[in-house]
Amino acid sequence: MWDSTMFLSTLTPKFYVALTGTSSLISGLILIFEWWYFRKYGTSFIEQVSINHISPWISGEFNDSSTNGNANSNNVQPQIPECKVWRNPLNLYRGAEYQRFYVMTKKEPLTYYDMNLSAQDHQTFFTCEADAGHAEYEIMQTAWRERNPSVRLKAAHSALDLNPDCAPAYILLAEEEATTITEAEKILKQALKVAEANYRRSQAMQHQGALMESQHRRDTNVLIYVKRRLAMCARRLGKLKEAVKMFRDLTKEVPPIMNVLNIHENLIEALLEMQAYADVQAVLAKYDDISLPKSATICYTAALLKARVVADKFSPDIASKRGLNTAEMAAVEAIHRAVEFNPHVPKYLLEMKSLILPPEHVLKRGDSEALGYAFFHLAHWKAVEGALNLLHCTWEGTFRMLPYPLERGHLFYPYPTCTECADRELLPAFHEVSVYPKKELPFFIIFTAGLCSFTALLALLTHQYPDLMGVFAKSVVSWMSMPVYYLYEKVEGIMPSNLLQQLIRI
């Protein structure tokens, strides 16, 4: 038999230095290549080879593992847009909803930053240059920026005392003084009569100068805003057909304020409540266009409609065995598209994270938008049997498909890095802001890094203490060979000696 003790005794310290140095160099090269491959493709090379080539070879399955991960690379937009804050299309009423939450919990549902953005919006839409010299409108110019709610309400009443036809004052009272949606609707109906009269009056004089033109623009904004809030009151009170009709009429308007209000999202939500899925699909076909800005409502509603076709019969166990059919693949791809646009929504839909009242402004692709969407649309996902189960089974797969680093993007422009800071300004302090899921390092990169570090340490110790490390290496080899010797002795005791000699010769 081969004598390992004699072989080890002939090895010099230089051999151990060369061995550990070579091992360290090889593992370091593997680590560098693995890290480069991970940075470029978002996955481990060794892991990919194991899954795509070695595993099918062992199991006998030779499926084509090529994917179309880069099929949509042409859709990636080269420029990263800035974090733009939008008005929440489904924002609540301060007096009837936000104030009730504060009374019950003693927690402020809105941040000062969020309310200040609303004040700026109101000043932009409900004031104009022609207000100079009109005391009631001058009062309303400053009323929007008052921090104390009671001061704002007092200013609105003062403006109405001066001029009962001051529509912006009615808007403020409907938003903040009314304690129920019914009261808000009653005040808004008064505001609608006044806004329509002011609109007709300014429309007749809009060509008489720049001031009249600005006044007509303001009256148009007021009229559209009042109609939209009345439609939202009808939606809250369960008058769905009336709300849908009002939203449809508003979507036909073309003033600049329509670009801010996103009324089509209100229409989609009301149609989903009616379970008029064909009408929802028609609205999506109009607004889910490559040239139009996306939103969580657009992306997740498209995913919900595709999931509705297959969700009731979807089983992850069966799908893993037979693969996904065409309809299931379309649903999964739609979910991946939605999750890539806003990755924070699934945790709210799956109730892995608790909901709070949505803010008055949202940041697209941010946690604030996820809250604004999930607060109203969770019920629509629950209404479709199996939709949440399909979402639960597939949404995390999105992050394995995305390129790395995250600045690359896949189906959309790269995910903005500024969303967390903006969301912390928009959302209350008691809410834990969701952040973009970090991509974990594959096991083989961590293993290779540990192996490289370990062999490098051995090479250093061997170079510094060659004799001591030689003795240590001999002890380790002897200790590891003990089970082999023990097994050999047992086999030798059972089997004939001549058979073992023949095996050794072979």
Side-chain angles (χ1 to χ4, degrees), residues 81-84 363 415-424:
E82 296 180 358
C83 292
K84 181 181 179 181
L363 181 69
Y415 188 81
T417 57
C418 57
T419 54
E420 183 178 352
C421 297
D423 280 333
R424 292 190 188 280

Side-chain angles (χ1 to χ4, degrees), residues 437-456:
K438 301 293 184 182
K439 214 167 192 182
E440 297 181 355
L441 290 176
F443 165 76
F444 285 105
I445 288 185
I446 299 175
F447 174 77
T448 308
L451 180 63
C452 177
S453 302
F454 178 71
T455 53

Side-chain angles (χ1 to χ4, degrees), residues 300-443:
Y300 278 90
T301 302
L304 176 62
L305 293 183
K306 286 185 171 62
R308 175 176 168 268
V309 180
V310 299
D312 57 336
K313 300 178 181 178
F314 179 79
S315 172
D317 295 333
I318 297 176
S320 62
K321 292 179 181 178
R322 63 166 170 79
L324 299 175
N325 57 36
T326 305
E328 290 172 341
M329 182 64 71
V332 170
E333 288 178 353
I335 290 175
H336 286 176
R337 173 179 180 260
V339 174
E340 182 182 345
F341 181 83
N342 193 319
H344 311 295
V345 173
K347 286 190 176 181
Y348 293 110
L349 293 181
L350 298 172
E351 298 181 81
M352 300 165 65
K353 193 174 181 181
S354 58
L355 284 170
I356 63 170
L357 295 185
E360 293 184 339
H361 288 78
V362 297
L363 181 69
K364 287 193 175 182
R365 309 188 73 180
D367 191 29
S368 53
E369 185 193 33
L371 277 167
Y373 171 81
F375 187 83
F376 284 96
H377 288 264
L378 175 59
H380 306 323
W381 279 80
K382 287 184 175 181
V384 177
E385 183 182 358
L388 289 176
N389 177 51
L390 180 60
L391 177 67
H392 175 72
C393 296
T394 58
W395 74 279
E396 290 182 325
T398 305
F399 306 111
R400 292 192 293 270
M401 297 171 56
L402 294 180
Y404 191 90
L406 299 177
E407 289 76 12
R408 290 181 176 273
H410 181 59
L411 298 172
F412 294 98
Y413 52 84
Y415 188 81
T417 57
C418 57
T419 54
E420 183 178 352
C421 297
D423 280 333
R424 292 190 188 280
E425 295 289 337
L426 289 172
L427 298 172
F430 59 83
H431 174 72
E432 182 182 354
V433 176
S434 295
V435 296
Y436 197 94
K438 301 293 184 182
K439 214 167 192 182
E440 297 181 355
L441 290 176
F443 165 76

